[in-house]
Amino acid sequence: MEVITTNNLKKEYHESEVPVKALNGVNLTILDGEFTAIVGPSGSGKSTLLHLLGGLDRPTQGTVVIDKTDIGKLSSGEIIDFRLFNIGFVFQAYNLIPVLTAKENIEFIMMLQKVDKHQRRNRSLELLEAVGLKKRADHRPVQLSGGEQQRVAVARALASKPKFVLADEPTANLDSRSAENLLDLMAELNSKLKTTILFSTHDERVIKRARRVVSLLDGEVRDDSER
Ligand code: ADP
Ligand code: MG
């Protein structure tokens, strides 16, 4: 089943005098359960594409359909709710809330979803166990390594039971060992929990672990291959 479908997706930025064509007609279908890498050199449009798929920004032209909803038709208010219940995010810079513990960071998203306290606690501990950090439940982000923080971020992305997880260069700030561990974890969660995961990277070692690789160049899909 299709989780995400884009049709002739285009994005131009008009922040300088010369407009930048960041995406130039991307047609992409992501199926339920995929573990897919979006790859390409810096400036090829990876972040722009993930932002549009996640409803964090709107296209100049074209559509993004997520599980039958054309997100371009949602109001700004509706899109916030849609994101909360359908999409998990992992960012390059982890973006954990510094004053909250690992457990609280994971619970926070469920609080927004109005999940009751008991369920929140159980699910956050379950997820911390799944990412191998149960013992770090009460640590704040500064007390965790980069690799550990990103594992908490992955647990947080899964907390809302999203239809899919978007991870924009999740390993960019990690040393190569932590990067490989994180990818192994994401691959394991993908096969165990059947969560669809889409991540961007330009790291060869990370690319190797993807099942499908979509290559972008100058805002266009140049290659799309399964392995
Ligand atoms: P990647 O993530 O692959 O490095 P991006 O999607 O960030 O690529 O960028 C694609 C192109 O769009 C680049 O030329 C970049 O400079 C440009 N770009 C990205 N964001 C903006 C923005 N907010 N304003 C203007 N240009 C942007
Ligand atoms: Mg980027």
Side-chain angles (χ1 to χ4, degrees):
M1 208 191 63
E2 290 130 32
V3 188
I4 311 172
T5 309
T6 75
N7 180 35
N8 194 27
L9 203 58
K10 295 187 179 176
K11 179 69 180 178
E12 281 182 26
Y13 292 107
H14 294 272
E15 272 149 55
S16 55
E17 260 167 58
V18 191
V20 177
K21 285 190 178 181
L23 285 184
N24 207 357
V26 170
N27 296 299
L28 188 65
T29 300
I30 302 294
L31 301 178
D32 207 15
E34 275 188 23
F35 189 63
T36 295
I38 307 288
V39 309
S42 175
S44 56
K46 303 183 295 297
S47 296
T48 301
L49 178 60
L50 291 187
H51 287 163
L52 296 181
L53 299 183
L56 295 169
D57 200 0
R58 290 183 186 268
T60 309
Q61 210 185 301
T63 54
V64 175
V65 177
I66 295 173
D67 201 25
K68 300 190 183 75
T69 301
D70 178 347
I71 63 169
K73 296 212 164 87
L74 302 179
S75 69
S76 326
E78 287 169 334
I79 220 159
I80 292 172
D81 248 28
F82 185 84
R83 271 203 305 265
L84 177 62
F85 287 93
N86 293 285
I87 311 172
F89 293 93
V90 177
F91 301 96
Q92 179 176 327
Y94 327 132
N95 294 14
L96 298 176
I97 301 172
V99 296
L100 301 182
T101 63
K103 181 159 62 83
E104 291 165 346
N105 264 284
I106 298 167
E107 285 190 31
F108 186 71
I109 208 125
M110 292 184 271
M111 233 158 84
L112 297 177
Q113 289 183 313
K114 305 203 162 46
V115 173
D116 78 61
K117 199 172 168 183
H118 183 72
Q119 251 181 297
R120 281 199 319 256
R121 185 171 351 114
N122 286 346
R123 183 152 174 82
S124 69
L125 290 176
E126 225 173 76
L127 284 164
L128 278 168
E129 174 135 58
V131 301
L133 287 175
K134 206 170 182 185
K135 287 189 181 142
R136 298 277 188 277
D138 297 319
H139 286 60
R140 277 181 286 114
V142 288
Q143 300 169 309
L144 300 170
S145 71
E148 289 171 336
Q149 288 185 57
Q150 199 60 307
R151 295 164 92 87
V152 174
V154 168
R156 177 181 61 178
L158 293 167
S160 60
K161 303 195 174 162
K163 290 210 174 72
F164 61 90
V165 170
L166 295 177
D168 193 11
E169 307 229 24
T171 60
N173 290 339
L174 301 179
D175 60 76
S176 56
R177 174 110 190 266
S178 307
E180 286 174 33
N181 286 342
L182 188 85
L183 256 288
D184 288 343
L185 171 70
M186 285 168 52
E188 183 196 323
L189 294 171
N190 163 262
S191 60
K192 252 208 267 185
L193 309 175
K194 313 283 177 226
T195 310
T196 308
I197 299 181
L198 197 59
F199 64 97
S200 72
T201 185
H202 58 250
D203 180 340
E204 275 304 325
R205 279 162 311 201
V206 168
I207 295 170
K208 275 198 215 117
R209 286 170 153 77
R211 232 171 291 132
R212 175 181 172 196
V213 178
V214 176
S215 306
L216 285 184
L217 193 65
D218 297 334
E220 291 175 18
V221 175
R222 286 301 165 88
D223 190 57
D224 187 345
S225 51
E226 305 262 351
R227 53 186 69 194

